[in-house]
Amino acid sequence: MSNIALITGITGQDGSYLAEFLLEKGYQVHGCFRRSSTNAFERIEHLTDKIELHCTDLLDQASLERLIAKIKPTEVYNLAAQSFVGSSWDQPILTGEVTGLGVTRLLEAIRMVDTSIRFYQASSSEMFGKVHETPQRETTPFHPRSPYGVAKAYGHWMTVNYRESYDMYACGGILFNHESPRRGLEFVTRKISDAVARIKLGLATEVRLGNLDARRDWGFAGDYVEAMWLMLQQDKPIDYVIGTGETYRVGDFVQIAFDRVGLNWEKHVVIDPKFYRPAEVDLLLADPMKAQEELNWKPKMSFQELVETMVDHDLQRLSALANTSLKVLRKSA
Ligand code: NAP
Ligand code: GDD
């Protein structure tokens, strides 16, 4: 029997890398997208003839149940979420509905249709919040600091609860921050790489940022989707921490990004209190030993390489855009 995967959040950063990864492994890949008035398929345009897309929403229980009954997946990866921590203070209820209760809706849909379906929940290091120990491991208590973190903690525990109550193969990957050229522009890494490219090309002069002292354990998203898949291939469902085991300041990311294009960051970065959070997660650092030993998983891309890859990508993208606009302008002149 062939493997059939259903990915919620396939239009997002991780969804696009996971779809590529599973196609390589020979899976039949299905993805959920939600109806939107603008095109949200930018990250998966190159895959649309290889995957099947279905319109559904984590807010709509019936649509999830119908879809699972129809396509009969062997594995479900729940990557859909209101995933931006900053917005979760503006929309705490929506964040709870999608990022928290959405997990239960999907688990219920699976339980109603077939409890042998394997389930991956995209849990988050944001659940550690005001950290109780460093580095953070699978046994570190949660102390979420944002409505997003609280919703993820709820979704994580529901996943554990369905595993324990119904003997389902359900597990939560507690992933630390992972980035890529496909990262949304609102997240700090991509905001910086995009701004550095704009400044280098003369399209902007400054970038406004918040807390440069926050520390994160940053890896490459393309490496992390393999860990998601590995978690669903074990004999038993177990939750794992996935990260690099290294932590850097937002300021370090800024420094490397500006260095890459030969500019002095101090001349272009403006600290703007608007980007400070009501409650900050000051330090995240993973202890990924369990995943390394039991899943044989290790990140491949270094922090420096990640920053430089993102800056190079945005430089190329924006140069191409600028060239096209110039050609159009010259033609119409
Ligand atoms: P992302 O790029 O923001 O993607 C989120 C996806 O969720 C998008 O496809 C989005 O669809 C979809 N979505 C949002 N609301 C939905 C709804 N009501 N119903 C159905 N789909 C909905 O996030 P990501 O970085 O790929 O992260 C993937 C998952 O991992 C998320 O759950 C995130 O919280 C979690 N996570 C991420 C990280 C990280 O560092 N990236 C770390 C730990 C955990 P649209 O395209 O329509 O917006
Ligand atoms: N977004 C943003 N914008 N963050 C800023 C800025 C800014 O202008 N200036 C400083 N920061 C700081 C934030 O205060 C935070 O401490 C850090 O940069 C990282 O912010 P984000 O890139 O928005 O990511 P996050 O760590 O809050 O959340 C991401 O990682 C989680 C895993 O720990 C998201 O991907 C979540 O979905 C994920 O669960």
Side-chain angles (χ1 to χ4, degrees):
M1 197 182 73
S2 72
N3 287 314
I4 305 172
L6 175 64
I7 305 173
T8 71
I10 197 163
T11 55
Q13 170 189 256
D14 291 6
S16 66
Y17 284 110
L18 181 63
E20 284 169 3
F21 179 86
L22 294 175
L23 284 169
E24 282 278 311
K25 292 256 168 229
Y27 277 67
Q28 193 188 116
V29 176
H30 295 259
C32 300
F33 70 97
R34 56 182 175 154
R35 196 259 153 196
S36 140
S37 52
T38 53
N39 178 14
F41 298 111
E42 193 188 347
R43 296 183 180 101
I44 52 166
E45 252 158 28
H46 59 299
L47 301 176
T48 44
D49 57 343
K50 301 187 189 88
I51 59 182
E52 271 192 58
L53 292 171
H54 309 270
C55 187
T56 178
D57 198 300
L58 281 194
L59 297 173
D60 186 349
Q61 172 77 38
S63 71
L64 297 171
E65 210 172 304
R66 255 197 328 270
L67 179 62
I68 289 171
K70 183 174 147 199
I71 66 173
K72 299 186 174 55
T74 50
E75 296 171 9
V76 172
Y77 295 84
N78 182 33
L79 308 187
Q82 190 303 91
S83 71
F84 185 44
V85 173
S87 289
S88 74
W89 279 279
D90 300 325
Q91 298 188 311
I93 295 166
L94 178 78
T95 302
E97 281 285 357
V98 179
T99 307
L101 264 181
V103 183
T104 311
R105 291 194 188 94
L106 198 49
L107 283 164
E108 267 299 276
I110 293 172
R111 186 170 81 86
M112 290 300 129
V113 175
D114 177 2
T115 51
S116 75
I117 295 170
R118 295 190 169 202
F119 177 76
Y120 173 87
Q121 165 58 15
S123 293
S124 165
S125 53
E126 185 70 15
M127 302 187 302
F128 296 124
K130 195 170 162 61
V131 298
H132 288 208
E133 64 176 344
T134 295
Q136 295 84 49
R137 49 179 70 96
E138 289 78 5
T139 49
T140 304
F142 299 151
H143 186 149
R145 293 272 278 173
S146 60
Y148 168 85
V150 174
K152 279 287 178 191
Y154 167 82
H156 182 78
W157 281 117
M158 286 310 281
T159 304
V160 174
N161 185 261
Y162 270 58
R163 176 166 82 216
E164 293 177 354
S165 305
Y166 305 115
D167 201 23
M168 283 167 54
Y169 192 115
C171 52
I174 307 175
L175 270 54
F176 283 62
N177 298 51
H178 44 279
E179 319 292 314
S180 73
R182 298 183 197 168
R183 187 57 142 154
L185 285 161
E186 65 276 38
F187 299 93
V188 77
T189 55
R190 186 75 197 289
K191 180 173 171 182
I192 296 166
S193 64
D194 178 73
V196 165
R198 279 175 201 277
I199 294 166
K200 180 68 184 173
L201 295 171
L203 303 169
T205 54
E206 63 174 39
V207 54
R208 304 182 87 82
L209 296 171
N211 182 8
L212 297 190
D213 290 321
R215 302 184 77 98
R216 290 290 182 274
D217 180 323
W218 277 296
F220 170 56
D223 291 343
Y224 286 43
V225 296
E226 183 191 10
M228 299 176 187
W229 175 76
L230 282 168
M231 275 182 232
L232 293 199
Q233 314 311 312
Q234 307 304 304
D235 293 336
K236 285 189 182 148
I238 296 173
D239 309 321
Y240 288 94
V241 154
I242 301 294
T244 68
E246 290 180 16
T247 187
Y248 293 91
R249 291 169 60 250
V250 172
D252 297 329
F253 196 107
V254 167
Q255 170 100 53
I256 297 175
F258 276 92
D259 282 355
R260 180 67 172 174
V261 297
L263 291 174
N264 177 358
W265 71 270
E266 284 167 298
K267 292 190 177 150
H268 301 284
V269 173
V270 177
I271 300 302
D272 186 338
K274 190 169 91 184
F275 295 108
Y276 274 78
R277 292 177 175 173
E280 179 62 284
V281 172
D282 296 317
L283 162 75
L284 290 176
L285 172 62
D287 174 355
M289 283 317 289
K290 190 174 160 187
Q292 289 189 11
E293 282 164 12
E294 295 178 14
L295 300 177
N296 198 20
W297 177 86
K298 266 192 184 161
K300 298 183 185 83
M301 195 183 284
S302 72
F303 177 66
Q304 172 114 12
E305 222 182 322
L306 174 66
V307 182
E308 294 181 351
T309 303
M310 290 176 71
V311 170
D312 292 354
H313 168 86
D314 278 322
L315 256 182
Q316 250 181 27
R317 179 181 63 90
L318 290 166
S319 309
L321 264 180
N323 283 340
T324 314
S325 310
L326 271 178
K327 272 187 200 146
V328 172
L329 281 175
R330 281 198 198 105
K331 261 192 185 165
S332 60

